[in-house]
Amino acid sequence: MVLLRVEVAAVTRYLLSRVGQAALVLWAAFTAGYLLLQLLPGDAILIKFQNPELGLSPGQIAEIRSYYAPGSPFLDYLRTLTGFLHGSFGYSIDTGTPVVERLGEALPETARLASAAFLLALVIAVVIAFAGSHSRTSWIRGALLSVPSLLVAVPAFWLGILLIQVFSFRLRLMPVIGGSELQQLVLPVLTLAVPVSAPIAQVLASSIDEVSTQPFVPVVAAKGASRWWILWRHVARNAVLPTMTVAGLTFGELVAGSVVTETVFGRNGIGRLTEQAVNAQDTPVLLAVVVLAAGAFVLVNLVVDLLFPVLDPRLRAAS
Amino acid sequence: MRRPKARGGPASRGRGVRRPKARGGPVLAWAVIAVTLLWALVPGLFTGHDPLAGVPAEKLQPPDWHHPFGTDAVGRDLFARVVHGSVHSLSGALVAVAVGLLAGTLLGLLAGSAGGVLDEAVMRVVDVLLSVPGLLLALTVIVLLGPGTVNAAVAVGVGSVAAFARLSRAEVVRVRRTEYVEAAFGSGGGFAAVLWRHVLPNSLGPVIALAALQFGVAILALSTLSFLGYGAEPPTPEWGLLISEGRNYLATSWWLTTLPGAVVVAVVLAAGRISRSVGRENGREGA
């Protein structure tokens, strides 16, 4: 009983420290982003209101500025920070609408695209790694296992363009404009999945390799298990943990890939929003996107870390 | 970004059959890099065409003997544009790697050798850098500095600082524990002197492998930024820009996007291959 209480306390302490660390990283990311974007020489207010046709005097522009950011810089920082904590990210200078609204409009599209792409990436990675590390013919094996390094080297925007060229213009399988929701999703998902699948495939293949050299594998084989049984039941299970780590790390790739993919395929989403924000120097939107992306990245990787002991009893015993 | 293990590590020792060919790959990879370097240094050797002046009568010609990569909408030779464009991509990637290598290694050296609070602080900064997706980080830097070739290169470099810092810190921590460093301290070496003479040179191997890898990554990222319109300005024949310009002629002129993209893939692949072989020569994984 006492032992159990000690254990629970230890786990709670571990959880708290990890969550605290994540919160600290996020706060630092917010502050750094806020400070950097404050340094801008020309800002969105000037871009939008400087046009002589509007006939605004510098005094009036200053008034507009104080409307967007009244008070001292430090107060503004505190206000922005508490706003973020309450889930309100201020107003887009470009459109004048709340940033939350713009994010809310863009997020579902990107979420659909990114989640479908991530699933496809997992499938591609598993197929490459399993087939590669299990084929007996050495040249097939070599060819399959070098696929990921090829996939890493392909620019995502170029891949998207190639896919449009081949499937939309040559084979006429996918309509460029129009078509059902699903049809419109196929090529973008493929474009985004390829760069994400490569690191996952690499790590999965090398962990399968590593686990295969461990002594318990010949023991299981000697007991008469088939190659696929060993791979599935024993090797793959042990190779899951490093693969999960790298899958969590590809989240950044997923976000970056969305920006490119949405631009190439003309889809609305977070990526498009980011691009517009960069062009208009719309700092509130950009800050919100950066902090949200960082937050999601930290959260995903925190969850992956916390899942480790759940999935692997050995780690549970150790901690 | 952290790379998974290169093949040929301890994992594959058990099965001698599948050790990848050590020769062959790197030779080809070095050849690709050498040719690209020559393109950048003496473009006149490879093409007689002007990359900027077009012959309107020869617009949108498919590849043939006279124009190996075809011509674009104003009749400019695409191969000439790719050859002359290499200098932008290579120098940009060089700047990006230099920024990441210098800043990252300095941070890593500082954190790894000082230890304690300073180490903690530096590594938290690295955590923050790692938490923001690379492209968003680069875009933030571009909003700050404005678009342009050099600014885009710096933006890409900032994105790789974290990777260099982490790796070099790990190496410094490893080297510091070795006996020869203890011996150097024991025989009266000053802190900075031992750091400079012993710790730094011995921790650089994997860092150089990472630099080779980042060189390819930087070319990729730079072409992405110019594709999005934040890098070089037209009519500069930058690779990403070439692909972006070719987009308007997708239905009719496949070569305008396909061939420059293939060149990018070849160079990035070669850089990755070299990185892996450098990493293996160091007896450690390629970053």
Side-chain angles (χ1 to χ4, degrees), chain A residues 146-167:
Chain A
S146 59
V147 166
S149 40
L150 176 68
L151 296 186
V152 169
V154 174
F157 62 94
W158 182 65
L159 180 69
I161 290 175
L162 277 195
L163 290 175
I164 295 178
Q165 214 161 54
V166 172
F167 289 100

Side-chain angles (χ1 to χ4, degrees), chain A residues 57 257 259 294 311:
Chain A
S57 68
V259 176
L311 290 178

Side-chain angles (χ1 to χ4, degrees), chain A residues 21 24-26 28-29 32-33 35-41 133 138 141-142 145-146 149-150 152-158 161-162 164-165 169-170 199 202-203 206 208-210 212-213 246 249 251-253 255-257 259-260 263-266 274-279 281 283 286 289-290 293-295 297-298, chain B residues 1-7 10-15 17-18 120 124 127-137 139-146 166 217 220 223-225 227-230 239-241 243-244 246-247 249-266 268-270 276:
Chain A
Q21 256 177 31
L24 196 68
V25 164
L26 272 183
L35 288 178
L36 284 178
L37 293 173
Q38 286 293 306
L39 287 177
L40 280 182
S133 54
S138 76
R141 184 192 172 86
L145 291 182
S146 59
S149 40
L150 176 68
V152 169
V154 174
F157 62 94
W158 182 65
I161 290 175
L162 277 195
I164 295 178
Q165 214 161 54
F169 288 121
R170 297 272 139 171
Q202 270 171 334
V203 170
S206 73
I208 287 180
D209 252 16
E210 206 161 307
S212 301
T213 58
V246 81
L249 291 176
F251 182 83
E253 198 74 35
V255 173
V259 176
V260 173
T263 308
V264 171
F265 289 92
T274 311
E275 207 202 338
Q276 286 165 3
V278 170
N279 292 336
Q281 301 210 332
T283 47
L286 200 62
V289 169
V290 167
F297 181 84
V298 169
Chain B
M1 197 170 57
R2 291 225 333 254
R3 276 299 119 157
K5 275 188 181 155
R7 275 166 287 141
S12 58
R13 210 179 294 140
R15 299 192 234 163
V17 231
R18 62 162 299 266
E120 271 296 309
R124 286 295 86 79
D127 277 349
V128 172
L129 283 175
L130 279 177
S131 73
V132 179
L135 186 65
L136 287 186
L137 200 59
L139 287 181
T140 311
V141 175
I142 280 181
V143 166
L144 208 63
L145 301 178
R166 265 198 160 181
V217 173
L220 213 56
S223 69
T224 303
L225 286 179
F227 174 80
L228 292 173
Y230 305 123
W239 290 346
L241 210 52
I243 300 174
S244 166
R247 264 176 93 192
Y249 307 93
L250 268 190
T252 50
S253 314
W254 59 270
W255 56 92
L256 286 179
T257 46
T258 309
L259 297 177
V263 171
V264 174
V265 173
V268 177
L269 257 184
R276 253 173 297 155

